[in-house]
Amino acid sequence: MGEDNRLAAVVALAQGMAAAHTPRECWHAAAAGACRALDGSFAALSVWERELGRLRVLVNVGERAPDEEEFPEAEAYPVHQFPEITEFLHERWAGGGGPNAWVETAEGAAAGRPGYSHQRVAALRRRGRGCCLVAPIVLHGRAWGELYVARAAHACVFGRADADFATVLASVVAAGIAQTEQLEEARRLAYTDALTGLANRRAVDVRLDEAIEQHRADGAVVSLVVCDLNGLKKVNDTRGHAVGDRLLERFGSVLSLCGAMLPGALAARLGGDEFCLLAVGPPADDVVKASDELCRRAGELELGEGVACGVASTADPIGPVRSARRLFRLADAAQYRAKALRADRPVVAGREGPDDPVVRLADAPPPERAERRSFRGRRGL
């Protein structure tokens, strides 16, 4: 491959990784781009999990063997099977050597070092491949993993120039992974409540909009539980905000635990003493059961005075739900009624007959008090 073609391959690899929206897309773009750039038949990207002493495969692309999944759940290899990782990434690199790529063939070592690896050679033979390039990936000054590119048994064996080019590609992959990790961290912070570690209101906004669209498209059951933690102000005033924060954290754990009763449910802190659970799919009765358990557990907390809990589900007789705002107002109204009644169980919208007070409250013109949570850009009811 000429210099111009290699430069174009590097640019294409970088652009492919930059366009990725998720870690999986990033890994796939890295492996696929390197496979094309090196004229390989197969490529894989693996991460070195130090704490587990293993090399775990993240993605396999190209001509995969029957035992190679594209995104394997449990394809990992003990590091002791690949002594070059320790030798090359610790001893040689620490001693001043660069993280250069090397070549191995079905017959043994070829261009570059560190040399012969029985496991890799056996894998090449078993899968009908003739040679492979192994390029260490270094991130933040530490060995992160490796890029692996192979060619079929009948193809030309990689040479020294290919190994040098693979080293360049590995550095481009490292930069792309670093960018993806930064974006993922920013995304996580943007959608996570810093105190409790639960989702935040922004995350609920997005998920609830998607859920209502799904409900309108195929009738999926969407249920929303809105909770108001009782007694937080009293705890803050009498015992300090640090203790109040501990109450919020403990209730967040209880909410997460009860949310686990509902497959795929999103547990979130909306702000202050207000929390919610959003479930898509489970029957409304299952959501009420989980809410009942939430009320019981909240009442047993050492701090606070239990929780006021309101539930609204599209599976109950609450009228058409055409917007996220309507479902939220119904759950909020149910929670408001639970608080007014000092109920120790959830109040469920639509279950008190044709003249349900919760539905009437939700559909009434907004009272003098402003709605305590305004969801961004909501459409009308």
Side-chain angles (χ1 to χ4, degrees):
M1 182 183 290
E3 289 300 319
D4 289 345
N5 289 337
R6 287 195 164 175
L7 178 59
V10 169
V11 171
L13 173 59
Q15 289 177 337
M17 295 187 72
H21 294 96
T22 66
R24 276 194 168 195
E25 290 180 3
C26 174
W27 305 335
H28 192 281
C35 193
R36 285 192 297 269
L38 288 161
D39 196 23
S41 62
F42 170 85
L45 184 69
S46 303
V47 63
W48 184 16
E49 296 180 329
R50 285 178 176 79
E51 69 280 7
L52 299 176
R54 68 183 188 178
L55 195 67
R56 181 168 64 87
V57 178
L58 300 174
V59 63
N60 293 307
V61 302
E63 297 174 10
R64 293 181 279 123
D67 62 335
E68 291 172 324
E69 299 176 22
E70 184 176 22
F71 292 103
E73 293 294 327
E75 185 181 352
Y77 305 94
V79 171
H80 69 76
Q81 292 184 359
F82 303 100
E84 76 274 7
I85 293 179
T86 301
E87 177 186 344
F88 190 74
L89 297 182
H90 282 288
E91 298 174 11
R92 184 177 171 201
W93 186 32
N100 300 318
W102 66 88
V103 178
E104 293 181 10
T105 75
E107 304 303 321
R113 298 179 65 87
Y116 187 86
S117 169
H118 292 281
Q119 295 292 335
R120 291 192 194 277
V121 170
L124 286 172
R125 293 172 179 169
R126 185 172 66 252
R127 289 164 176 159
R129 294 166 186 152
C131 61
C132 69
L133 266 169
V134 183
I137 296 173
V138 177
L139 201 61
H140 309 309
R142 300 185 68 187
W144 181 90
E146 69 171 39
L147 177 65
Y148 175 98
V149 180
R151 284 177 177 169
H154 56 77
C156 295
V157 174
F158 289 117
R160 180 67 266 173
D162 295 312
D164 292 340
F165 185 42
T167 300
V168 174
L169 293 176
S171 67
V172 175
V173 169
I177 291 171
Q179 180 184 43
T180 299
E181 288 184 350
Q182 290 172 353
L183 290 174
E184 278 298 296
E185 179 64 10
R187 189 176 292 115
R188 185 189 68 80
L189 293 174
Y191 290 96
T192 303
D193 176 64
L195 178 63
T196 63
L198 300 176
N200 62 13
R201 191 178 73 183
R202 184 180 290 109
V204 176
D205 275 350
V206 173
R207 182 75 70 85
L208 188 54
D209 275 336
E210 293 173 347
I212 294 301
E213 287 302 315
Q214 185 178 345
H215 168 71
R216 295 173 65 182
D218 59 21
V221 175
V222 181
S223 303
L224 186 65
V225 182
V226 173
C227 315
D228 193 290
L229 187 58
N230 297 326
L232 177 63
K233 184 178 186 305
K234 181 178 178 181
V235 171
N236 284 335
D237 291 345
T238 60
R239 303 185 64 175
H241 286 272
V243 179
D245 285 350
R246 191 160 73 246
L247 171 59
L248 289 169
E249 290 177 299
R250 292 192 64 186
F251 179 72
S253 297
V254 170
L255 182 69
S256 181
L257 178 67
C258 294
M261 298 170 61
L262 305 168
L266 178 72
R269 181 187 177 203
L270 298 172
D273 58 0
E274 296 177 324
F275 294 76
C276 81
L277 275 176
L278 172 59
V280 182
D285 286 345
D286 289 357
V287 176
V288 173
K289 182 179 179 181
S291 303
D292 211 8
E293 179 68 7
L294 176 64
C295 290
R296 185 186 70 77
R297 287 179 177 269
E300 294 175 352
L301 290 175
E302 177 186 355
L303 300 169
E305 299 170 3
V307 64
C309 187
V311 182
S313 175
T314 59
D316 282 325
I318 56 175
V321 178
R322 299 188 179 91
S323 70
R325 184 174 182 227
R326 174 167 169 76
L327 189 66
F328 191 90
R329 288 189 64 173
L330 285 160
D332 196 38
Q335 181 273 129
Y336 188 73
R337 180 167 170 78
K339 201 170 192 68
L341 296 173
R342 298 182 179 277
D344 60 359
R345 300 189 65 184
V347 170
V348 185
R351 295 197 175 186
E352 293 189 38
D355 197 28
D356 187 285
V358 172
V359 177
R360 282 194 292 108
L361 178 61
D363 289 346
E368 291 275 325
R369 68 181 184 94
E371 224 180 310
R372 287 171 297 162
R373 311 169 200 82
S374 61
F375 277 61
R376 51 166 176 69
R378 293 298 186 205
R379 298 180 291 277
L381 295 177

